[in-house]
Amino acid sequence: YIPLHRFGERWYPETGAACETGGGGGQGRNLNVPWTSDGLADSDYLAAFRLVLCPVLAQFSPDLLLLSAGFDAADGDAQGKMKVTAAGFAQMTQLLLSAVDCPVAAALEGGYNSRVTCECCEAVLRVLLGSSPPATSPTLLAPSVEPTLRSVLAHNAPHWSGLRYSEKAVQDFFAEAARVGSAPRVSKRQRTAPAFADEERANPRAAEQQKLAEKRAVREAARGAAEEERAESAAALA
């Protein structure tokens, strides 16, 4: 079981730290990649796949690989607060297929923006059906990525020889990521819900409440300005 998930700051379900590697007969069979910051993008996730997930999968050599295909980490999904593109999900899928020699099944799970979820789902399905994934542009890794992945390696290397890198190998990995990466682009998609019209239609009550809250904020700001103006006038008369 290898989940990549947002961790800390009371993110549900508040479990899945790097040190949680399973217990009893399952010791070492639970490998968590706990992201500790928002806004991670393709290069951040692909680094985890290349450095951690794929070596473990290759060593484990499963008879069947089940993908929990959740897309709440997609760019444009306001709930997940990440920036993974459809091309990034396609690249991750290709890496998984290259790491195993067994049937692969994907089950659609998370995703709170229907348009984005459709785009990402299509990208993954195309790779599963044999298409090559589109290229992604390498970006600089987020500051939290290296310490997170180093922690994952430290806790899981005792269980997986494929993760027992030399310190130089790990340093070279992150140095190469820094060399080829460029500053991440600014997403053109809105990061606040509802992000698209279909989300507003899906939850009209929430959209209406948001509009009412914005109107109240405008009225309160205007009231405050008027009161401040009256106070200044009274002070001038005094």
Side-chain angles (χ1 to χ4, degrees), residues 128-149:
L128 291 175
L129 292 172
S131 297
S132 297
T136 58
S137 299
T139 58
L140 295 173
L141 300 183
S144 65
V145 170
E146 181 173 349
T148 294
L149 295 184

Side-chain angles (χ1 to χ4, degrees), residues 60 83 109 120 198 204 219 236:
F60 183 62
K83 297 181 180 180
E109 292 207 10
C120 295
D198 59 343
R219 288 198 300 268

Side-chain angles (χ1 to χ4, degrees), residues 5 7 31 40 44 94-95 103 122 150 156 160-161 163 167 192 208-209 215:
H5 52 268
F7 182 75
L31 192 158
L40 303 190
D44 304 307
Q94 184 62 60
L95 286 173
E122 178 185 356
R150 282 182 173 275
N156 291 277
W160 299 100
S161 60
L163 299 183
E167 175 58 26
T192 56
E208 184 61 29
Q209 288 175 342
K215 290 179 180 178

Side-chain angles (χ1 to χ4, degrees), residues 76-167:
D77 191 307
Q79 298 294 326
K81 299 183 179 180
M82 296 298 188
K83 297 181 180 180
V84 182
T85 67
F89 281 109
Q91 288 279 349
M92 286 186 272
T93 305
Q94 184 62 60
L95 286 173
L96 293 177
L97 294 179
S98 299
V100 299
D101 185 19
C102 68
V104 177
L108 179 62
E109 292 207 10
Y112 302 95
N113 182 307
S114 58
R115 174 179 166 183
V116 172
T117 298
C118 287
E119 292 173 356
C120 295
C121 190
E122 178 185 356
V124 169
L125 285 173
R126 286 185 179 278
V127 174
L128 291 175
L129 292 172
S131 297
S132 297
T136 58
S137 299
T139 58
L140 295 173
L141 300 183
S144 65
V145 170
E146 181 173 349
T148 294
L149 295 184
R150 282 182 173 275
S151 177
V152 172
L153 292 176
H155 285 99
N156 291 277
H159 310 292
W160 299 100
S161 60
L163 299 183
R164 295 170 194 165
Y165 301 104
S166 67
E167 175 58 26

